[in-house]
């Protein structure tokens, strides 16, 4: 049995994953929390990673949740990352997103 940690996109919660069949694996949903003042993306990912209680989990992210999965995978040892409707690196980020 695998441990799968799901991160939704902003403005969504674990219900976006409700129609998926995880075939007997243990599934956990990481909630979004408010970022700290002047917190970097890396710092936020570190705080989110502290909610993960298993070794080598699968990270599953949707939209910005996919970006967080990639950042968390830089911090902890994971089995794999699955992203949906997201980007794999900042190099794929549209120019307008880089301006904000």
């Amino acid at each position: 049995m695998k441990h799968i940690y799901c991160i939704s996109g902003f403005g969504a919660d674990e219900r976006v994953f409700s129609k998926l069949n995880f075939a007997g694996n243990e599934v956990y949903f990481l909630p979004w929390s408010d970022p700290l003042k002047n917190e970097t993306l890396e710092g936020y990912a570190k705080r989110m990673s502290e909610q993960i209680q298993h070794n080598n989990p699968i990270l599953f992210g949707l939209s910005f949740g996919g970006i967080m999965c990639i950042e968390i995978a830089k911090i902890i040892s994971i089995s794999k990352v699955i992203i949906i409707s997201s980007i794999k690196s900042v190099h794929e980020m549209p120019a307008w997103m880089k301006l904000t």
Side-chain angles (χ1 to χ4, degrees), residues 41-81:
L41 183 64
E42 294 82 7
Y44 190 84
K46 172 76 170 124
R47 274 197 310 128
M48 281 194 85
S49 74
E50 293 168 357
Q51 298 177 63
I52 297 173
Q53 301 298 313
H54 300 91
N55 295 325
N56 299 310
I58 295 171
L59 302 180
F60 190 142
L62 171 71
S63 189
F64 192 71
I67 295 170
M68 289 308 303
C69 288
I70 298 294
E71 291 299 316
I72 291 170
K74 295 176 184 177
I75 299 167
I76 66 169
S77 178
I78 55 99
S79 172
K80 71 175 72 171
V81 173

Side-chain angles (χ1 to χ4, degrees), residues 74-95:
K74 295 176 184 177
I75 299 167
I76 66 169
S77 178
I78 55 99
S79 172
K80 71 175 72 171
V81 173
I82 301 168
I83 60 174
I84 296 176
S85 189
S86 189
I87 60 175
K88 297 181 293 293
S89 75
V90 295
H91 303 295
E92 296 178 356
M93 188 180 294

